[in-house]
Amino acid sequence: MAQQRGVNGLRFNQDQSCFCCAMETGVRIFNIEPLMEKGHLDQEQVGSVGQVEMLHRCNLLALVGGGSNPKFSDISVLIWDDSRDGKDKLVLEFTFTKPVLSVRLRSEKIVIALKNRIYVYSFPDNPTKLFEFDTRDNPKGLCDLCPSLEKQLLLFPGHKCGSLQLVDLCNAKPGSSSAPFTINAHQSELGCLAVNQQGTLVASASRKGTLIRLFDTQTREQLVELRRGTDPATLYCINFSHDSSFLCSSSDKGTVHIFALKDTKLNRRSALARVGKVGPMIGQYVDSQWSLASFTVPAESACICAFGKNTSKNVNSVIAVCVDGTFHKYVFTPEGNCNREAFDVYLDICDDDIF
């Protein structure tokens, strides 16, 4: 992510009610509705930070050093417990031989992705290594972890180009490299992936970034193909709404797209789809569904997006948080009307609420 205003990384928490910023100046945590700072760790405490991951709204944070003045190495994940008194708030450390590319948390497990391997540990009490999975080259550390109590689904790239691997950590036996099941999602390398809150759906895009494909985690069948656009783009984020009725995505084109999943008739179709029979090349293009609604953020600024709390039955909202320090909230209707409801510069908000 571009280091405008010193932001090295942005992540939502598991229910998308907060987001955290890994920064040159430490860590800042914000509540989303209403937008306010929930807490921060300064540079003196943690140095410059490359990645930060929250666990719901609790006192534990996972930190990975990065940026221009790190206090911690990028080959270690440090667990910070903000509820501890005094200066010694680092309670756990996981260290590897290669850089940590991403971290995911759930209430009893931590998942750490390196370039070719994914580790799963019990967490936070007496951490033990439960699993390790080999992956093909995964330079972005792509992986996602379902927060649901019923389904502990872990999603990451498979061995074959463009494939997804899914493991239910509930049913897999610790210590075994229980065979994950594979979905052949794309022909080119994966660029972005996500699992919904319930663990029933996964979405993925390739590095081309033109299509997002949706799969059922039980049957492994493709349910729908969503078209972001025709030009290649780098996708930064894919997120499901809380009840999986909608999906949003952001990319380096500066457009946040919103798609309907429950009622796909709401999505737009290509004008050619109404023409009838077309050649095989255009056929693929016609069959996919285009976004129901979209809005723009500064194109030069990477952003993450998620759904806000529903204010009424027919009005939903999407939040976009950008590395340039801007916060955007848009409301949209099932008819595809999309309007800006809020704009803020979150980095300029100072609120010393106790985290």
Side-chain angles (χ1 to χ4, degrees):
M1 286 195 169
Q3 286 181 21
Q4 292 150 302
R5 298 215 51 184
V7 177
N8 296 326
L10 289 168
R11 286 281 300 160
F12 291 109
N13 69 342
Q14 288 77 1
D15 68 355
Q16 295 148 19
S17 63
C18 295
F19 65 93
C20 47
C21 312
M23 303 190 65
E24 288 296 307
T25 52
V27 169
R28 290 182 73 179
I29 292 162
F30 294 88
N31 184 69
I32 291 179
E33 294 182 270
L35 181 65
M36 57 198 263
E37 185 171 19
K38 292 293 292 172
H40 59 261
L41 309 177
D42 61 32
Q43 198 168 9
E44 198 180 312
Q45 292 171 289
V46 294
S48 58
V49 177
Q51 299 171 57
V52 59
E53 183 78 0
M54 298 175 71
L55 179 58
H56 298 288
R57 300 173 75 92
C58 84
N59 46 296
L60 297 177
L61 291 172
L63 309 173
V64 180
S68 58
N69 193 16
K71 191 170 177 178
F72 309 126
S73 164
D74 66 353
I75 62 167
S76 295
V77 178
L78 294 121
I79 305 301
W80 180 276
D81 182 349
D82 211 59
S83 67
R84 280 174 74 118
D85 292 332
K87 283 196 165 178
D88 193 19
K89 299 191 180 205
L90 289 172
V91 290
L92 280 175
E93 186 175 334
F94 300 85
T95 299
F96 304 90
T97 53
K98 293 189 173 145
V100 171
L101 300 174
S102 66
V103 182
R104 298 290 179 266
L105 298 174
R106 47 177 292 140
S107 47
E108 71 307 305
K109 290 187 177 70
I110 181 168
V111 173
I112 298 164
L114 312 187
K115 191 179 172 196
N116 294 100
R117 192 158 290 179
I118 290 195
Y119 294 92
V120 183
Y121 293 85
S122 60
F123 170 87
D125 303 324
N126 306 323
T128 17
K129 185 166 76 176
L130 302 175
F131 306 100
E132 64 181 271
F133 301 104
D134 288 333
T135 65
R136 66 187 286 111
D137 274 3
N138 183 14
K140 284 172 144 184
L142 296 176
C143 68
D144 204 8
L145 185 59
C146 172
S148 155
L149 293 170
E150 290 75 48
K151 229 176 188 166
Q152 300 187 18
L153 202 67
L154 174 64
L155 174 67
F156 54 94
H159 291 285
K160 194 175 155 211
C161 178
S163 71
L164 297 165
Q165 293 202 70
L166 287 101
V167 187
D168 189 344
L169 299 173
C170 262
N171 300 331
K173 289 187 174 61
S176 69
S177 57
S178 58
F181 60 80
T182 303
I183 293 173
N184 293 318
H186 303 273
Q187 286 170 329
S188 50
E189 297 285 358
L190 291 173
C192 201
L193 49 80
V195 60
N196 69 342
Q197 301 258 339
Q198 299 77 22
T200 53
L201 300 171
V202 296
S204 64
S206 74
R207 285 186 200 163
K208 270 170 68 181
T210 51
L211 296 170
I212 298 170
R213 294 194 170 122
L214 193 74
F215 299 90
D216 182 307
T217 61
Q218 280 305 116
T219 63
R220 296 173 242 175
E221 283 174 9
Q222 182 176 313
L223 299 174
V224 68
E225 183 175 86
L226 306 167
R227 183 168 281 280
R228 183 210 55 77
T230 50
D231 295 340
T234 299
L235 261 71
Y236 296 128
C237 182
I238 297 174
N239 243 324
F240 290 88
S241 64
H242 300 282
D243 64 354
S244 301
S245 295
F246 297 97
L247 178 141
C248 61
S249 71
S250 62
S251 74
D252 63 353
K253 295 284 184 198
T255 307
V256 174
H257 289 276
I258 303 157
F259 299 91
L261 301 183
K262 201 166 264 181
D263 183 1
T264 55
K265 291 194 290 294
L266 298 172
N267 292 326
R268 293 178 302 121
R269 300 292 196 280
S270 161
L272 291 169
R274 296 190 283 275
V275 174
K277 201 166 174 4
V278 288
M281 273 307 284
I282 310 177
Q284 295 171 345
Y285 176 82
V286 169
D287 289 342
S288 51
Q289 304 180 16
W290 296 68
S291 60
L292 144 86
S294 63
F295 62 88
T296 56
V297 295
E300 64 285 353
S301 181
C303 88
I304 56 173
C305 55
F307 289 86
K309 293 187 187 120
N310 286 9
T311 43
S312 74
K313 200 170 177 204
N314 287 326
V315 181
N316 297 275
S317 61
V318 171
I319 310 289
V321 182
C322 302
V323 296
D324 66 356
T326 58
F327 172 95
H328 310 255
K329 181 180 178 183
Y330 279 77
V331 290
F332 69 95
T333 62
E335 296 74 50
N337 298 322
C338 192
N339 295 297
R340 184 157 92 177
E341 190 175 78
F343 171 83
D344 235 308
V345 180
Y346 64 86
L347 290 180
D348 293 347
I349 293 172
C350 285
D351 192 341
D352 286 341
D353 265 11
I354 290 158
F355 169 48

